[in-house]
Structure formats: structure tokens, C-alpha cells
Amino acid sequence: MIDLAKELRENSYPGRGIVIGRSEDGKKAVVGYFIMGRSENSRNRVFVEEPDGIRTEAFDPSKMVDPSLIIYHPVRKVGDRLIVTNGDQTDTVAEFIREGKSFEDALRTRTFEPDGPNWTPRISGMVERNGDYRLSILKSADGDESSTQRFFFEYTDPRPGVVHFIHTYEGDGNPIPSFKGEPDAAKITGCINCFTKLLWDNLNPDNKVSLYTAFIDLETGEMETRILNKNA
């Protein structure tokens, strides 16, 4: 397993990241989602709470240049499922789930982001009522925009205190190299405040923008959430 704090601390630009797993006591599903930015447009964002999740919003609307790809709903709750993604595919997954279709069916209709030469991967996750979860990444084939690769990962009976971490980029660069391999497993301890602090304190201070975390009680379904925005 990786040391999650070290992994974040030593990568100046993992981009956007999803962390999903099980709390140390085994009683709660754990979710984290963060965004980072290098440009002024990307950094000019905050997370705002919605009845069914969160959305991104311009911190200073006068500085917003292009809202496409950076303004979306990263988190939506649909029935007993929580969906988290790095783009408007959240809405695609939500629509398919409402129609009785699957997470995988939804993402097979989507591809990576049209932001060449980076071709940013679309990363997605979904937590079931019992705490089982899925992760996915849709990416170009080694930077070839004519070819899409779709990877799906399913985790059943998650282990207490273990999470899986997937992010858009391997690190900084030009173009920015896409994430490769399987989601990384890591151990976590403590409550939602500990988990939130672990992620926020180890994200690059210049590039981090916003963080959302949630602990979902597997017995009652009740959610406890946190939102941190660099643009307070």
C-alpha cells in the first residue's frame, strides 16, 4: 500500500483525485474528492453544497474565462448511491442509474476530456448502500486522441481502514501525463476530520483549490460531509 500523505505531498500536480473506501472502524463508507489548478481560470473555483451533493462555482465570476470542463456537479446522490466524478459525467451516471442501468453502461457513452494536448482522463466513482464501490478512468491511448481506453474497478466487501485513490495526472508536465495503472490502495485512520486534514494538508499549497469529504454510516445511511476551499 502507498502512504497517502507522502503520495500527495511528493506530487505537485495530481490534478483531480477521488478517494473511496472504508473507515477504520468499518462502520462508514469514506469518500474524498479534490480539485487542483495551474491556470487562473482553474484556480478561480470553490465547492458549493447542493441538496444532492456539490457543484463547482466561480469564486470571482468576473475572472471566469471558459466554464466548460471546470464548472460541473462533482457529487450527486441518487437513491442510496453516491456518485463522484471529475466532470459532467456525474450527470450521465446519475441519469443511467435512475433508468435502472449501470455505472459502466453510463461511462461507455463517454470519453476523455477534449482538452488536447492533455486529453485529461475522466475519473469516476460510485458508492453503493452497503459500502461496496466502483472506480473508473476513461483515457486516451498514450496521448492518441483517436483511441479511448476505459478501465473499471469494482471493490466488494471493502476492508476497514483501506481506501483506493485514483487521480487524473501522474504529475506535472507539458503535456500533462495521464494517470496509469490501477487505483492505489492506502490505509487511513480516525474520523472524518482526520481524513479531511490528511488530504488537504498534503496537497500542493500552490495548486490545491477545493476538497470535499464524506463519511456515510452504513447502518443508517446518514452522511457527514466537509468542504474546504482555498478561496475562502
Side-chain angles (χ1 to χ4, degrees):
M1 293 191 186
I2 64 166
D3 179 328
L4 187 53
K6 183 173 183 288
E7 183 78 9
L8 292 171
R9 191 168 56 249
E10 294 182 352
N11 187 344
S12 64
Y13 201 63
R16 286 163 278 175
I18 297 173
V19 183
I20 302 181
R22 187 69 61 88
S23 62
E24 186 181 18
D25 62 10
K27 296 180 179 180
K28 296 177 174 66
V30 170
V31 178
Y33 177 67
F34 65 79
I35 60 175
M36 307 183 80
R38 299 191 304 177
S39 69
E40 182 179 18
N41 197 43
S42 292
R43 291 176 176 178
N44 181 36
R45 290 183 290 174
V46 291
F47 283 166
V48 177
E49 192 170 10
E50 291 274 286
D52 66 342
I54 62 170
R55 61 183 167 84
T56 60
E57 182 179 274
F59 175 65
D60 183 347
S62 69
K63 294 181 178 179
M64 178 59 65
V65 178
D66 179 7
S68 66
L69 302 181
I70 66 171
I71 300 299
Y72 56 94
H73 287 79
V75 177
R76 285 195 185 278
K77 194 172 189 296
V78 179
D80 290 331
R81 296 181 172 99
L82 190 72
I83 301 159
V84 54
T85 89
N86 72 324
D88 63 12
Q89 73 267 26
T90 309
D91 298 331
T92 306
V93 175
E95 180 182 348
F96 271 62
I97 295 300
R98 292 189 190 102
E99 295 174 352
K101 300 174 184 176
S102 73
F103 175 80
E104 292 80 7
D105 288 339
L107 293 171
R108 288 188 182 106
T109 70
R110 302 302 303 267
T111 184
F112 46 85
E113 295 183 355
D115 63 340
N118 296 319
W119 310 118
T120 298
R122 291 189 187 272
I123 55 173
S124 308
M126 186 172 74
V127 183
E128 303 283 351
R129 175 64 179 85
N130 65 356
D132 291 351
Y133 56 96
R134 291 172 164 82
L135 288 168
S136 171
I137 184 167
L138 316 178
K139 55 188 289 190
S140 66
D142 302 313
D144 182 352
E145 69 272 25
S146 67
S147 180
T148 302
Q149 298 178 335
R150 295 181 177 89
F151 299 91
F152 300 98
F153 308 92
E154 185 174 4
Y155 303 90
T156 58
D157 301 316
R159 291 174 290 171
V162 175
V163 295
H164 285 90
F165 173 41
I166 193 168
H167 44 100
T168 53
Y169 306 128
E170 284 292 295
D172 211 340
N174 190 24
I176 317 174
S178 294
F179 177 88
K180 58 187 177 182
E182 295 185 13
D184 292 307
K187 289 187 176 181
I188 61 165
T189 60
C191 64
I192 187 172
N193 291 331
C194 302
F195 178 61
T196 304
K197 181 176 174 60
L198 167 71
L199 298 180
W200 188 249
D201 287 357
N202 289 287
L203 288 169
N204 181 273
D206 294 325
N207 295 326
K208 67 182 179 182
V209 175
S210 296
L211 170 67
Y212 166 90
T213 58
F215 269 36
I216 308 168
D217 190 297
L218 297 176
E219 183 176 345
T220 66
E222 292 182 2
M223 287 180 56
E224 186 177 7
T225 63
R226 301 285 187 272
I227 292 175
L228 294 177
N229 291 305
K230 187 175 180 181
N231 296 313

